[in-house]
PDB file of all heavy atoms in Angstrom:
ATOM      1  N   GLN A   1     101.458  91.252 123.238  1.00  0.00           N
ATOM      2  CA  GLN A   1     100.702  90.823 124.413  1.00  0.00           C
ATOM      3  C   GLN A   1     100.348  92.053 125.242  1.00  0.00           C
ATOM      4  O   GLN A   1     101.013  93.080 125.152  1.00  0.00           O
ATOM      5  CB  GLN A   1     101.542  89.860 125.258  1.00  0.00           C
ATOM      6  CG  GLN A   1     102.786  90.521 125.831  1.00  0.00           C
ATOM      7  CD  GLN A   1     103.874  89.553 126.224  1.00  0.00           C
ATOM      8  OE1 GLN A   1     104.006  88.490 125.632  1.00  0.00           O
ATOM      9  NE2 GLN A   1     104.665  89.923 127.209  1.00  0.00           N
ATOM     10  N   PHE A   2      99.284  91.929 126.028  1.00  0.00           N
ATOM     11  CA  PHE A   2      99.012  92.968 127.002  1.00  0.00           C
ATOM     12  C   PHE A   2     100.134  92.933 128.038  1.00  0.00           C
ATOM     13  O   PHE A   2     100.594  91.859 128.434  1.00  0.00           O
ATOM     14  CB  PHE A   2      97.652  92.743 127.684  1.00  0.00           C
ATOM     15  CG  PHE A   2      96.479  93.176 126.854  1.00  0.00           C
ATOM     16  CD1 PHE A   2      95.637  92.239 126.268  1.00  0.00           C
ATOM     17  CD2 PHE A   2      96.213  94.524 126.657  1.00  0.00           C
ATOM     18  CE1 PHE A   2      94.555  92.640 125.494  1.00  0.00           C
ATOM     19  CE2 PHE A   2      95.127  94.933 125.884  1.00  0.00           C
ATOM     20  CZ  PHE A   2      94.300  93.993 125.307  1.00  0.00           C
ATOM     21  N   THR A   3     100.603  94.104 128.468  1.00  0.00           N
ATOM     22  CA  THR A   3     101.676  94.197 129.458  1.00  0.00           C
ATOM     23  C   THR A   3     101.243  93.549 130.766  1.00  0.00           C
ATOM     24  O   THR A   3     102.001  92.827 131.408  1.00  0.00           O
ATOM     25  CB  THR A   3     102.052  95.676 129.687  1.00  0.00           C
ATOM     26  OG1 THR A   3     102.387  96.264 128.418  1.00  0.00           O
ATOM     27  CG2 THR A   3     103.222  95.821 130.630  1.00  0.00           C
ATOM     28  N   SER A   4     100.005  93.803 131.159  1.00  0.00           N
ATOM     29  CA  SER A   4      99.466  93.260 132.403  1.00  0.00           C
ATOM     30  C   SER A   4      98.751  91.947 132.132  1.00  0.00           C
ATOM     31  O   SER A   4      98.037  91.817 131.131  1.00  0.00           O
ATOM     32  CB  SER A   4      98.481  94.262 133.018  1.00  0.00           C
ATOM     33  OG  SER A   4      97.757  93.664 134.063  1.00  0.00           O
ATOM     34  N   SER A   5      98.932  90.971 133.024  1.00  0.00           N
ATOM     35  CA  SER A   5      98.217  89.703 132.848  1.00  0.00           C
ATOM     36  C   SER A   5      96.721  89.889 133.106  1.00  0.00           C
ATOM     37  O   SER A   5      95.912  89.092 132.675  1.00  0.00           O
ATOM     38  CB  SER A   5      98.791  88.644 133.787  1.00  0.00           C
ATOM     39  OG  SER A   5      98.730  89.102 135.122  1.00  0.00           O
ATOM     40  N   ASP A   6      96.357  90.988 133.812  1.00  0.00           N
ATOM     41  CA  ASP A   6      94.939  91.288 134.069  1.00  0.00           C
ATOM     42  C   ASP A   6      94.649  92.748 133.714  1.00  0.00           C
ATOM     43  O   ASP A   6      94.812  93.631 134.549  1.00  0.00           O
ATOM     44  CB  ASP A   6      94.584  91.012 135.532  1.00  0.00           C
ATOM     45  CG  ASP A   6      93.095  91.220 135.803  1.00  0.00           C
ATOM     46  OD1 ASP A   6      92.333  91.443 134.830  1.00  0.00           O
ATOM     47  OD2 ASP A   6      92.703  91.165 136.979  1.00  0.00           O
ATOM     48  N   PRO A   7      94.246  93.004 132.468  1.00  0.00           N
ATOM     49  CA  PRO A   7      93.992  94.388 132.045  1.00  0.00           C
ATOM     50  C   PRO A   7      92.915  95.106 132.866  1.00  0.00           C
ATOM     51  O   PRO A   7      92.846  96.332 132.847  1.00  0.00           O
ATOM     52  CB  PRO A   7      93.567  94.245 130.577  1.00  0.00           C
ATOM     53  CG  PRO A   7      94.139  92.936 130.133  1.00  0.00           C
ATOM     54  CD  PRO A   7      94.093  92.059 131.351  1.00  0.00           C
ATOM     55  N   ARG A   8      92.088  94.354 133.609  1.00  0.00           N
ATOM     56  CA  ARG A   8      91.065  94.997 134.440  1.00  0.00           C
ATOM     57  C   ARG A   8      91.694  95.870 135.523  1.00  0.00           C
ATOM     58  O   ARG A   8      91.025  96.714 136.101  1.00  0.00           O
ATOM     59  CB  ARG A   8      90.185  93.938 135.120  1.00  0.00           C
ATOM     60  CG  ARG A   8      89.238  93.238 134.170  1.00  0.00           C
ATOM     61  CD  ARG A   8      88.491  92.135 134.863  1.00  0.00           C
ATOM     62  NE  ARG A   8      89.429  91.157 135.438  1.00  0.00           N
ATOM     63  CZ  ARG A   8      89.065  90.016 136.005  1.00  0.00           C
ATOM     64  NH1 ARG A   8      87.793  89.693 136.085  1.00  0.00           N
ATOM     65  NH2 ARG A   8      89.967  89.182 136.484  1.00  0.00           N
ATOM     66  N   SER A   9      92.994  95.644 135.793  1.00  0.00           N
ATOM     67  CA  SER A   9      93.690  96.401 136.839  1.00  0.00           C
ATOM     68  C   SER A   9      93.842  97.881 136.473  1.00  0.00           C
ATOM     69  O   SER A   9      94.285  98.669 137.292  1.00  0.00           O
ATOM     70  CB  SER A   9      95.079  95.799 137.058  1.00  0.00           C
ATOM     71  OG  SER A   9      95.850  95.924 135.868  1.00  0.00           O
ATOM     72  N   GLY A  10      93.505  98.227 135.235  1.00  0.00           N
ATOM     73  CA  GLY A  10      93.663  99.617 134.792  1.00  0.00           C
ATOM     74  C   GLY A  10      94.866  99.797 133.884  1.00  0.00           C
ATOM     75  O   GLY A  10      95.255 100.906 133.568  1.00  0.00           O
ATOM     76  N   ASP A  11      95.451  98.669 133.447  1.00  0.00           N
ATOM     77  CA  ASP A  11      96.605  98.736 132.551  1.00  0.00           C
ATOM     78  C   ASP A  11      96.309  97.943 131.293  1.00  0.00           C
ATOM     79  O   ASP A  11      96.337  96.715 131.287  1.00  0.00           O
ATOM     80  CB  ASP A  11      97.855  98.193 133.250  1.00  0.00           C
ATOM     81  CG  ASP A  11      99.129  98.407 132.430  1.00  0.00           C
ATOM     82  OD1 ASP A  11      99.026  98.906 131.290  1.00  0.00           O
ATOM     83  OD2 ASP A  11     100.219  98.081 132.936  1.00  0.00           O
ATOM     84  N   GLY A  12      96.008  98.654 130.212  1.00  0.00           N
ATOM     85  CA  GLY A  12      95.756  98.017 128.916  1.00  0.00           C
ATOM     86  C   GLY A  12      96.927  98.205 127.975  1.00  0.00           C
ATOM     87  O   GLY A  12      96.774  98.091 126.759  1.00  0.00           O
ATOM     88  N   SER A  13      98.120  98.510 128.526  1.00  0.00           N
ATOM     89  CA  SER A  13      99.309  98.744 127.695  1.00  0.00           C
ATOM     90  C   SER A  13      99.639  97.505 126.863  1.00  0.00           C
ATOM     91  O   SER A  13      99.312  96.381 127.230  1.00  0.00           O
ATOM     92  CB  SER A  13     100.508  99.101 128.580  1.00  0.00           C
ATOM     93  OG  SER A  13     100.219 100.242 129.359  1.00  0.00           O
ATOM     94  N   LEU A  14     100.317  97.746 125.731  1.00  0.00           N
ATOM     95  CA  LEU A  14     100.613  96.689 124.764  1.00  0.00           C
ATOM     96  C   LEU A  14     102.113  96.536 124.596  1.00  0.00           C
ATOM     97  O   LEU A  14     102.824  97.518 124.373  1.00  0.00           O
ATOM     98  CB  LEU A  14      99.985  97.049 123.410  1.00  0.00           C
ATOM     99  CG  LEU A  14     100.247  96.103 122.242  1.00  0.00           C
ATOM    100  CD1 LEU A  14      99.585  94.746 122.467  1.00  0.00           C
ATOM    101  CD2 LEU A  14      99.763  96.714 120.937  1.00  0.00           C
ATOM    102  N   ASP A  15     102.616  95.305 124.717  1.00  0.00           N
ATOM    103  CA  ASP A  15     104.018  94.987 124.413  1.00  0.00           C
ATOM    104  C   ASP A  15     104.086  94.432 123.002  1.00  0.00           C
ATOM    105  O   ASP A  15     103.317  93.527 122.653  1.00  0.00           O
ATOM    106  CB  ASP A  15     104.571  93.906 125.354  1.00  0.00           C
ATOM    107  CG  ASP A  15     104.748  94.389 126.780  1.00  0.00           C
ATOM    108  OD1 ASP A  15     104.832  95.612 126.984  1.00  0.00           O
ATOM    109  OD2 ASP A  15     104.812  93.534 127.689  1.00  0.00           O
ATOM    110  N   ILE A  16     105.026  94.951 122.200  1.00  0.00           N
ATOM    111  CA  ILE A  16     105.309  94.365 120.886  1.00  0.00           C
ATOM    112  C   ILE A  16     106.779  93.949 120.920  1.00  0.00           C
ATOM    113  O   ILE A  16     107.660  94.753 121.223  1.00  0.00           O
ATOM    114  CB  ILE A  16     105.062  95.367 119.727  1.00  0.00           C
ATOM    115  CG1 ILE A  16     103.638  95.926 119.796  1.00  0.00           C
ATOM    116  CG2 ILE A  16     105.299  94.671 118.380  1.00  0.00           C
ATOM    117  CD1 ILE A  16     103.366  97.027 118.782  1.00  0.00           C
ATOM    118  N   LEU A  17     107.027  92.675 120.617  1.00  0.00           N
ATOM    119  CA  LEU A  17     108.369  92.113 120.683  1.00  0.00           C
ATOM    120  C   LEU A  17     108.975  91.996 119.288  1.00  0.00           C
ATOM    121  O   LEU A  17     108.251  91.976 118.288  1.00  0.00           O
ATOM    122  CB  LEU A  17     108.307  90.719 121.330  1.00  0.00           C
ATOM    123  CG  LEU A  17     107.423  90.578 122.565  1.00  0.00           C
ATOM    124  CD1 LEU A  17     107.290  89.123 122.966  1.00  0.00           C
ATOM    125  CD2 LEU A  17     107.966  91.395 123.714  1.00  0.00           C
ATOM    126  N   ASN A  18     110.310  91.898 119.234  1.00  0.00           N
ATOM    127  CA  ASN A  18     111.025  91.667 117.970  1.00  0.00           C
ATOM    128  C   ASN A  18     110.485  92.562 116.848  1.00  0.00           C
ATOM    129  O   ASN A  18     109.995  92.077 115.824  1.00  0.00           O
ATOM    130  CB  ASN A  18     110.939  90.183 117.591  1.00  0.00           C
ATOM    131  CG  ASN A  18     111.826  89.840 116.407  1.00  0.00           C
ATOM    132  OD1 ASN A  18     112.762  90.565 116.079  1.00  0.00           O
ATOM    133  ND2 ASN A  18     111.521  88.747 115.747  1.00  0.00           N
ATOM    134  N   LEU A  19     110.566  93.873 117.055  1.00  0.00           N
ATOM    135  CA  LEU A  19     109.979  94.847 116.124  1.00  0.00           C
ATOM    136  C   LEU A  19     110.485  94.672 114.695  1.00  0.00           C
ATOM    137  O   LEU A  19     111.653  94.378 114.472  1.00  0.00           O
ATOM    138  CB  LEU A  19     110.280  96.265 116.603  1.00  0.00           C
ATOM    139  CG  LEU A  19     109.467  96.725 117.805  1.00  0.00           C
ATOM    140  CD1 LEU A  19     110.059  97.994 118.405  1.00  0.00           C
ATOM    141  CD2 LEU A  19     108.016  96.941 117.434  1.00  0.00           C
ATOM    142  N   LYS A  20     109.581  94.898 113.748  1.00  0.00           N
ATOM    143  CA  LYS A  20     109.904  94.851 112.318  1.00  0.00           C
ATOM    144  C   LYS A  20     109.551  96.209 111.713  1.00  0.00           C
ATOM    145  O   LYS A  20     108.703  96.926 112.236  1.00  0.00           O
ATOM    146  CB  LYS A  20     109.114  93.741 111.636  1.00  0.00           C
ATOM    147  CG  LYS A  20     109.374  92.360 112.253  1.00  0.00           C
ATOM    148  CD  LYS A  20     108.646  91.280 111.500  1.00  0.00           C
ATOM    149  CE  LYS A  20     108.835  89.903 112.104  1.00  0.00           C
ATOM    150  NZ  LYS A  20     110.165  89.565 112.557  1.00  0.00           N
ATOM    151  N   SER A  21     110.179  96.541 110.586  1.00  0.00           N
ATOM    152  CA  SER A  21     109.919  97.855 109.983  1.00  0.00           C
ATOM    153  C   SER A  21     108.448  98.009 109.629  1.00  0.00           C
ATOM    154  O   SER A  21     107.887  99.105 109.701  1.00  0.00           O
ATOM    155  CB  SER A  21     110.806  98.090 108.761  1.00  0.00           C
ATOM    156  OG  SER A  21     110.538  97.139 107.765  1.00  0.00           O
ATOM    157  N   ALA A  22     107.771  96.905 109.291  1.00  0.00           N
ATOM    158  CA  ALA A  22     106.341  96.965 108.938  1.00  0.00           C
ATOM    159  C   ALA A  22     105.461  97.312 110.136  1.00  0.00           C
ATOM    160  O   ALA A  22     104.276  97.618 109.958  1.00  0.00           O
ATOM    161  CB  ALA A  22     105.898  95.631 108.336  1.00  0.00           C
ATOM    162  N   ASP A  23     106.015  97.276 111.357  1.00  0.00           N
ATOM    163  CA  ASP A  23     105.241  97.640 112.546  1.00  0.00           C
ATOM    164  C   ASP A  23     105.096  99.157 112.694  1.00  0.00           C
ATOM    165  O   ASP A  23     104.333  99.629 113.536  1.00  0.00           O
ATOM    166  CB  ASP A  23     105.896  97.075 113.819  1.00  0.00           C
ATOM    167  CG  ASP A  23     105.929  95.545 113.835  1.00  0.00           C
ATOM    168  OD1 ASP A  23     105.090  94.929 113.146  1.00  0.00           O
ATOM    169  OD2 ASP A  23     106.787  94.986 114.540  1.00  0.00           O
ATOM    170  N   THR A  24     105.840  99.919 111.894  1.00  0.00           N
ATOM    171  CA  THR A  24     105.726 101.376 111.928  1.00  0.00           C
ATOM    172  C   THR A  24     104.288 101.771 111.620  1.00  0.00           C
ATOM    173  O   THR A  24     103.687 101.253 110.680  1.00  0.00           O
ATOM    174  CB  THR A  24     106.690 102.014 110.896  1.00  0.00           C
ATOM    175  OG1 THR A  24     108.031 101.774 111.323  1.00  0.00           O
ATOM    176  CG2 THR A  24     106.470 103.506 110.755  1.00  0.00           C
ATOM    177  N   GLY A  25     103.729 102.674 112.425  1.00  0.00           N
ATOM    178  CA  GLY A  25     102.367 103.131 112.172  1.00  0.00           C
ATOM    179  C   GLY A  25     101.774 103.819 113.381  1.00  0.00           C
ATOM    180  O   GLY A  25     102.452 104.046 114.389  1.00  0.00           O
ATOM    181  N   THR A  26     100.500 104.154 113.281  1.00  0.00           N
ATOM    182  CA  THR A  26      99.762 104.796 114.366  1.00  0.00           C
ATOM    183  C   THR A  26      98.905 103.742 115.043  1.00  0.00           C
ATOM    184  O   THR A  26      98.109 103.060 114.389  1.00  0.00           O
ATOM    185  CB  THR A  26      98.869 105.932 113.822  1.00  0.00           C
ATOM    186  OG1 THR A  26      99.697 106.877 113.139  1.00  0.00           O
ATOM    187  CG2 THR A  26      98.141 106.643 114.960  1.00  0.00           C
ATOM    188  N   TYR A  27      99.086 103.606 116.347  1.00  0.00           N
ATOM    189  CA  TYR A  27      98.338 102.636 117.139  1.00  0.00           C
ATOM    190  C   TYR A  27      97.345 103.389 118.000  1.00  0.00           C
ATOM    191  O   TYR A  27      97.654 104.448 118.543  1.00  0.00           O
ATOM    192  CB  TYR A  27      99.293 101.827 118.027  1.00  0.00           C
ATOM    193  CG  TYR A  27     100.191 100.912 117.219  1.00  0.00           C
ATOM    194  CD1 TYR A  27     101.302 101.408 116.544  1.00  0.00           C
ATOM    195  CD2 TYR A  27      99.904  99.556 117.097  1.00  0.00           C
ATOM    196  CE1 TYR A  27     102.113 100.574 115.781  1.00  0.00           C
ATOM    197  CE2 TYR A  27     100.708  98.715 116.339  1.00  0.00           C
ATOM    198  CZ  TYR A  27     101.815  99.243 115.681  1.00  0.00           C
ATOM    199  OH  TYR A  27     102.603  98.417 114.927  1.00  0.00           O
ATOM    200  N   GLN A  28      96.139 102.847 118.118  1.00  0.00           N
ATOM    201  CA  GLN A  28      95.111 103.483 118.943  1.00  0.00           C
ATOM    202  C   GLN A  28      94.609 102.493 119.979  1.00  0.00           C
ATOM    203  O   GLN A  28      94.239 101.370 119.653  1.00  0.00           O
ATOM    204  CB  GLN A  28      93.944 103.967 118.081  1.00  0.00           C
ATOM    205  CG  GLN A  28      92.888 104.705 118.895  1.00  0.00           C
ATOM    206  CD  GLN A  28      91.822 105.309 118.006  1.00  0.00           C
ATOM    207  OE1 GLN A  28      91.366 104.695 117.053  1.00  0.00           O
ATOM    208  NE2 GLN A  28      91.413 106.510 118.324  1.00  0.00           N
ATOM    209  N   CYS A  29      94.625 102.955 121.231  1.00  0.00           N
ATOM    210  CA  CYS A  29      94.070 102.178 122.329  1.00  0.00           C
ATOM    211  C   CYS A  29      92.670 102.735 122.605  1.00  0.00           C
ATOM    212  O   CYS A  29      92.513 103.938 122.813  1.00  0.00           O
ATOM    213  CB  CYS A  29      94.966 102.351 123.560  1.00  0.00           C
ATOM    214  SG  CYS A  29      94.269 101.663 125.060  1.00  0.00           S
ATOM    215  N   LYS A  30      91.656 101.855 122.581  1.00  0.00           N
ATOM    216  CA  LYS A  30      90.276 102.252 122.889  1.00  0.00           C
ATOM    217  C   LYS A  30      89.837 101.499 124.133  1.00  0.00           C
ATOM    218  O   LYS A  30      89.928 100.274 124.180  1.00  0.00           O
ATOM    219  CB  LYS A  30      89.323 101.908 121.742  1.00  0.00           C
ATOM    220  CG  LYS A  30      89.595 102.596 120.432  1.00  0.00           C
ATOM    221  CD  LYS A  30      88.598 102.125 119.372  1.00  0.00           C
ATOM    222  CE  LYS A  30      88.907 102.712 118.007  1.00  0.00           C
ATOM    223  NZ  LYS A  30      88.004 102.203 116.962  1.00  0.00           N
ATOM    224  N   VAL A  31      89.387 102.235 125.142  1.00  0.00           N
ATOM    225  CA  VAL A  31      88.895 101.617 126.374  1.00  0.00           C
ATOM    226  C   VAL A  31      87.414 101.966 126.492  1.00  0.00           C
ATOM    227  O   VAL A  31      87.041 103.136 126.411  1.00  0.00           O
ATOM    228  CB  VAL A  31      89.663 102.121 127.618  1.00  0.00           C
ATOM    229  CG1 VAL A  31      89.166 101.418 128.877  1.00  0.00           C
ATOM    230  CG2 VAL A  31      91.168 101.909 127.446  1.00  0.00           C
ATOM    231  N   LYS A  32      86.575 100.925 126.678  1.00  0.00           N
ATOM    232  CA  LYS A  32      85.131 101.138 126.796  1.00  0.00           C
ATOM    233  C   LYS A  32      84.620 100.414 128.035  1.00  0.00           C
ATOM    234  O   LYS A  32      84.988  99.258 128.274  1.00  0.00           O
ATOM    235  CB  LYS A  32      84.383 100.586 125.577  1.00  0.00           C
ATOM    236  CG  LYS A  32      84.845 101.103 124.241  1.00  0.00           C
ATOM    237  CD  LYS A  32      84.118 100.374 123.114  1.00  0.00           C
ATOM    238  CE  LYS A  32      84.974 100.364 121.866  1.00  0.00           C
ATOM    239  NZ  LYS A  32      84.501  99.440 120.852  1.00  0.00           N
ATOM    240  N   LYS A  33      83.824 101.078 128.789  1.00  0.00           N
ATOM    241  CA  LYS A  33      83.056 100.467 129.885  1.00  0.00           C
ATOM    242  C   LYS A  33      81.856 101.375 130.053  1.00  0.00           C
ATOM    243  O   LYS A  33      81.946 102.425 130.674  1.00  0.00           O
ATOM    244  CB  LYS A  33      83.883 100.368 131.165  1.00  0.00           C
ATOM    245  CG  LYS A  33      83.201  99.524 132.265  1.00  0.00           C
ATOM    246  CD  LYS A  33      84.204  99.189 133.365  1.00  0.00           C
ATOM    247  CE  LYS A  33      83.585  98.546 134.572  1.00  0.00           C
ATOM    248  NZ  LYS A  33      82.972  97.244 134.354  1.00  0.00           N
ATOM    249  N   ALA A  34      80.752 100.995 129.438  1.00  0.00           N
ATOM    250  CA  ALA A  34      79.594 101.876 129.291  1.00  0.00           C
ATOM    251  C   ALA A  34      79.201 102.526 130.624  1.00  0.00           C
ATOM    252  O   ALA A  34      79.213 101.862 131.654  1.00  0.00           O
ATOM    253  CB  ALA A  34      78.421 101.069 128.726  1.00  0.00           C
ATOM    254  N   PRO A  35      78.887 103.843 130.557  1.00  0.00           N
ATOM    255  CA  PRO A  35      78.833 104.681 129.360  1.00  0.00           C
ATOM    256  C   PRO A  35      80.174 105.279 128.944  1.00  0.00           C
ATOM    257  O   PRO A  35      80.253 106.016 127.974  1.00  0.00           O
ATOM    258  CB  PRO A  35      77.878 105.804 129.790  1.00  0.00           C
ATOM    259  CG  PRO A  35      78.152 105.960 131.254  1.00  0.00           C
ATOM    260  CD  PRO A  35      78.452 104.571 131.770  1.00  0.00           C
ATOM    261  N   GLY A  36      81.265 104.975 129.654  1.00  0.00           N
ATOM    262  CA  GLY A  36      82.561 105.595 129.349  1.00  0.00           C
ATOM    263  C   GLY A  36      83.243 104.999 128.135  1.00  0.00           C
ATOM    264  O   GLY A  36      83.271 103.789 127.954  1.00  0.00           O
ATOM    265  N   VAL A  37      83.800 105.876 127.290  1.00  0.00           N
ATOM    266  CA  VAL A  37      84.587 105.469 126.121  1.00  0.00           C
ATOM    267  C   VAL A  37      85.714 106.481 125.954  1.00  0.00           C
ATOM    268  O   VAL A  37      85.452 107.687 125.923  1.00  0.00           O
ATOM    269  CB  VAL A  37      83.741 105.460 124.819  1.00  0.00           C
ATOM    270  CG1 VAL A  37      84.597 105.068 123.628  1.00  0.00           C
ATOM    271  CG2 VAL A  37      82.550 104.539 124.938  1.00  0.00           C
ATOM    272  N   GLN A  38      86.948 106.014 125.873  1.00  0.00           N
ATOM    273  CA  GLN A  38      88.088 106.900 125.638  1.00  0.00           C
ATOM    274  C   GLN A  38      89.068 106.210 124.699  1.00  0.00           C
ATOM    275  O   GLN A  38      89.127 104.985 124.637  1.00  0.00           O
ATOM    276  CB  GLN A  38      88.819 107.224 126.962  1.00  0.00           C
ATOM    277  CG  GLN A  38      88.061 108.145 127.891  1.00  0.00           C
ATOM    278  CD  GLN A  38      87.965 109.573 127.364  1.00  0.00           C
ATOM    279  OE1 GLN A  38      88.892 110.074 126.736  1.00  0.00           O
ATOM    280  NE2 GLN A  38      86.835 110.216 127.610  1.00  0.00           N
ATOM    281  N   SER A  39      89.844 107.030 123.986  1.00  0.00           N
ATOM    282  CA  SER A  39      90.875 106.452 123.121  1.00  0.00           C
ATOM    283  C   SER A  39      92.092 107.358 123.100  1.00  0.00           C
ATOM    284  O   SER A  39      92.007 108.538 123.439  1.00  0.00           O
ATOM    285  CB  SER A  39      90.334 106.236 121.707  1.00  0.00           C
ATOM    286  OG  SER A  39      90.055 107.473 121.103  1.00  0.00           O
ATOM    287  N   GLN A  40      93.212 106.765 122.696  1.00  0.00           N
ATOM    288  CA  GLN A  40      94.471 107.511 122.629  1.00  0.00           C
ATOM    289  C   GLN A  40      95.299 106.948 121.486  1.00  0.00           C
ATOM    290  O   GLN A  40      95.354 105.736 121.298  1.00  0.00           O
ATOM    291  CB  GLN A  40      95.201 107.328 123.963  1.00  0.00           C
ATOM    292  CG  GLN A  40      96.673 107.634 123.929  1.00  0.00           C
ATOM    293  CD  GLN A  40      97.297 107.402 125.290  1.00  0.00           C
ATOM    294  OE1 GLN A  40      96.928 108.044 126.251  1.00  0.00           O
ATOM    295  NE2 GLN A  40      98.223 106.482 125.381  1.00  0.00           N
ATOM    296  N   LYS A  41      95.952 107.843 120.724  1.00  0.00           N
ATOM    297  CA  LYS A  41      96.781 107.409 119.594  1.00  0.00           C
ATOM    298  C   LYS A  41      98.260 107.547 119.932  1.00  0.00           C
ATOM    299  O   LYS A  41      98.664 108.492 120.601  1.00  0.00           O
ATOM    300  CB  LYS A  41      96.472 108.246 118.347  1.00  0.00           C
ATOM    301  CG  LYS A  41      95.110 107.957 117.771  1.00  0.00           C
ATOM    302  CD  LYS A  41      94.860 108.760 116.511  1.00  0.00           C
ATOM    303  CE  LYS A  41      93.456 108.478 115.980  1.00  0.00           C
ATOM    304  NZ  LYS A  41      93.102 109.362 114.873  1.00  0.00           N
ATOM    305  N   ILE A  42      99.049 106.586 119.440  1.00  0.00           N
ATOM    306  CA  ILE A  42     100.492 106.578 119.649  1.00  0.00           C
ATOM    307  C   ILE A  42     101.156 106.281 118.308  1.00  0.00           C
ATOM    308  O   ILE A  42     100.762 105.345 117.605  1.00  0.00           O
ATOM    309  CB  ILE A  42     100.900 105.504 120.677  1.00  0.00           C
ATOM    310  CG1 ILE A  42     100.292 105.832 122.043  1.00  0.00           C
ATOM    311  CG2 ILE A  42     102.423 105.387 120.769  1.00  0.00           C
ATOM    312  CD1 ILE A  42     100.493 104.753 123.088  1.00  0.00           C
ATOM    313  N   GLN A  43     102.165 107.080 117.974  1.00  0.00           N
ATOM    314  CA  GLN A  43     102.908 106.882 116.726  1.00  0.00           C
ATOM    315  C   GLN A  43     104.163 106.071 117.026  1.00  0.00           C
ATOM    316  O   GLN A  43     104.952 106.446 117.890  1.00  0.00           O
ATOM    317  CB  GLN A  43     103.292 108.246 116.128  1.00  0.00           C
ATOM    318  CG  GLN A  43     104.071 108.172 114.826  1.00  0.00           C
ATOM    319  CD  GLN A  43     103.265 107.614 113.678  1.00  0.00           C
ATOM    320  OE1 GLN A  43     102.097 107.951 113.512  1.00  0.00           O
ATOM    321  NE2 GLN A  43     103.867 106.748 112.890  1.00  0.00           N
ATOM    322  N   LEU A  44     104.341 104.945 116.328  1.00  0.00           N
ATOM    323  CA  LEU A  44     105.530 104.102 116.489  1.00  0.00           C
ATOM    324  C   LEU A  44     106.328 104.114 115.193  1.00  0.00           C
ATOM    325  O   LEU A  44     105.779 103.864 114.122  1.00  0.00           O
ATOM    326  CB  LEU A  44     105.124 102.663 116.835  1.00  0.00           C
ATOM    327  CG  LEU A  44     106.258 101.635 116.860  1.00  0.00           C
ATOM    328  CD1 LEU A  44     107.266 101.932 117.972  1.00  0.00           C
ATOM    329  CD2 LEU A  44     105.702 100.225 117.001  1.00  0.00           C
ATOM    330  N   THR A  45     107.624 104.421 115.310  1.00  0.00           N
ATOM    331  CA  THR A  45     108.527 104.361 114.161  1.00  0.00           C
ATOM    332  C   THR A  45     109.601 103.331 114.468  1.00  0.00           C
ATOM    333  O   THR A  45     110.285 103.431 115.489  1.00  0.00           O
ATOM    334  CB  THR A  45     109.183 105.735 113.897  1.00  0.00           C
ATOM    335  OG1 THR A  45     108.148 106.709 113.716  1.00  0.00           O
ATOM    336  CG2 THR A  45     110.059 105.696 112.659  1.00  0.00           C
ATOM    337  N   VAL A  46     109.727 102.329 113.606  1.00  0.00           N
ATOM    338  CA  VAL A  46     110.760 101.307 113.773  1.00  0.00           C
ATOM    339  C   VAL A  46     111.918 101.664 112.853  1.00  0.00           C
ATOM    340  O   VAL A  46     111.747 101.754 111.633  1.00  0.00           O
ATOM    341  CB  VAL A  46     110.215  99.899 113.463  1.00  0.00           C
ATOM    342  CG1 VAL A  46     111.314  98.855 113.631  1.00  0.00           C
ATOM    343  CG2 VAL A  46     109.028  99.572 114.365  1.00  0.00           C
TER     344      VAL A  46
END
């Protein structure tokens, strides 16, 4: 789920519950609001 109930507040963080080994990987958050576009990668190891 999104951490914030209203991602428009400037918080697009992601909660992942009950982690499984298959959740290991690289996650990318992409934020777009034309003309702005930004992204960030996060490595998760379970």
Side-chain angles (χ1 to χ4, degrees):
Q1 64 201 30
F2 281 108
T3 305
S4 168
S5 56
D6 184 7
R8 288 175 302 186
S9 63
D11 188 356
S13 302
L14 177 67
D15 290 339
I16 305 174
L17 316 171
N18 188 20
L19 286 166
K20 302 184 182 318
S21 62
D23 297 336
T24 293
T26 302
Y27 292 78
Q28 183 174 42
C29 171
K30 298 178 185 177
V31 182
K32 305 174 207 167
K33 190 166 171 64
V37 179
Q38 288 290 324
S39 66
Q40 161 181 298
K41 290 182 182 172
I42 296 173
Q43 180 67 42
L44 173 65
T45 304
V46 179

